[in-house]
């Protein structure tokens, strides 16, 4: 009983003891945190640009840059003019990483199987790659191929201007995707189907005319 009383008394004294507090002073500068409304700042900036005509000028310059890029895309990097004949084949077959099913859910190609798109389609048009700024290459392509048997693809030049001048559709290999795929490094070059592979020929106009 005495032990219980002693424990209770100690607890009471502990709770009743004053808590010591100490002022450690101020350390460093204090700033008021202010956070401007981002949307209002943007709107204010746009109003100033609109008022002095800067916004209209920026829009016009952007439209002009976009039109220039469309009319004359960036040339495919690393392309040169062919000096000699070079030929090889490109195999488009790939290994499927997962099952391919038809609309009914039936597996038509199993994962791990080697599939060749040329087993299912036929490439009827030749792909003719040229430098659209090279008049000799452009004249040769137009004289040698019709719109029905070939697609003329530029790696440099102005395809829209060529369409207007020659009343024929031209294409442009944006970013060099196709020439990289086929391994083409010089133009003119021709890609045609040869059975289950694509045959690629790269050479001078004279070489490719034979």
């Amino acid at each position: 009983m005495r032990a219980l009383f002693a424990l209770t008394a100690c607890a009471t004294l502990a709770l009743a003891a004053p808590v010591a507090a100490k002022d450690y002073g101020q350390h460093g500068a204090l700033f008021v945190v202010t956070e401007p409304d981002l949307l209002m700042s943007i709107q204010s900036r746009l109003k100033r640009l609109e008022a002095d005509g800067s916004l209209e000028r920026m829009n016009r310059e952007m439209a002009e840059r976009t039109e220039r890029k469309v009319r004359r895309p960036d040339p495919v990097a690393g392309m040169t003019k062919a000096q000699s004949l070079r030929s090889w084949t490109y195999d488009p077959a790939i290994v499927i990483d997962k099952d391919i099913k038809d609309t009914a859910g039936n597996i038509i190609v199993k994962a791990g199987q080697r599939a060749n798109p040329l087993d299912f389609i036929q490439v009827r048009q030749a792909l003719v790659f040229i430098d659209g700024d090279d008049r000799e290459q452009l004249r040769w392509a137009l004289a040698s191929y019709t719109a029905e048997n070939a697609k003329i693809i530029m790696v440099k030049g102005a395809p829209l201007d060529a369409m207007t001048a020659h009343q024929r559709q031209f294409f442009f290999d944006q970013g060099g995707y196709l020439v990289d795929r086929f391994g083409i490094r010089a133009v003119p070059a021709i890609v045609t189907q040869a059975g289950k592979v694509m045959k690629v020929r790269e050479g001078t106009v004279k070489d490719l005319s034979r």
Side-chain angles (χ1 to χ4, degrees):
M1 183 69 179
R2 288 181 179 178
L4 179 60
F5 176 80
L7 182 62
T8 304
C10 289
T12 302
L13 289 173
L15 291 173
V19 178
K22 186 175 181 180
D23 185 358
Y24 289 95
Q26 179 176 313
H27 297 272
L30 297 178
F31 300 94
V32 178
V33 178
T34 58
E35 187 173 330
D37 189 313
L38 180 60
L39 183 58
M40 290 184 65
S41 297
I42 294 173
Q43 290 177 338
S44 177
R45 173 65 173 164
L46 287 174
K47 287 180 180 178
R48 288 198 298 271
L49 291 173
E50 186 175 13
D52 65 13
S54 298
L55 187 61
E56 182 180 356
R57 184 177 66 255
M58 290 167 62
N59 287 334
R60 184 173 62 251
E61 290 173 353
M62 184 181 297
E64 291 172 354
R65 284 197 302 270
T66 301
E67 183 180 358
R68 286 196 298 269
K69 285 289 185 181
V70 171
R71 300 194 72 85
R72 179 172 284 276
D74 292 333
V76 176
M79 298 300 296
T80 61
K81 185 174 182 178
Q83 301 297 322
S84 59
L85 183 63
R86 189 168 74 100
S87 63
W88 64 96
T89 59
Y90 168 76
D91 186 353
I94 59 172
V95 176
I96 304 301
D97 59 354
K98 61 181 180 179
D99 293 341
I100 296 178
K101 301 178 181 180
D102 60 18
T103 54
N106 301 310
I107 297 177
I108 55 176
V109 182
K110 292 184 178 180
Q113 184 177 339
R114 190 172 183 272
N116 189 337
L118 297 180
D119 289 335
F120 310 100
I121 62 170
Q122 184 175 0
V123 181
R124 300 182 182 278
Q125 291 177 299
L127 305 180
V128 181
F129 295 87
I130 66 167
D131 176 347
D133 287 338
D134 186 316
R135 293 183 179 181
E136 181 187 24
Q137 292 185 33
L138 182 59
R139 284 196 299 266
W140 162 79
L142 289 170
S144 303
Y145 296 94
T146 66
E148 287 71 32
N149 64 18
K151 292 182 183 296
I152 301 178
I153 305 170
M154 294 183 181
V155 297
K156 181 182 178 185
L160 293 182
D161 292 344
M163 287 183 196
T164 301
H166 303 285
Q167 294 299 299
R168 176 163 173 183
Q169 190 172 22
F170 289 86
F171 301 87
F172 198 94
D173 189 10
Q174 292 275 12
Y177 175 81
L178 292 175
V179 294
D180 284 346
R181 177 64 60 88
F182 292 118
I184 297 170
R185 291 293 173 266
V187 288
I190 307 170
V191 180
T192 55
Q193 183 175 349
K196 302 303 180 183
V197 297
M198 300 297 288
K199 182 178 180 182
V200 187
R201 290 192 301 149
E202 183 185 280
T204 65
V205 166
K206 184 178 180 179
D207 289 331
L208 298 179
S209 299
R210 294 171 182 170

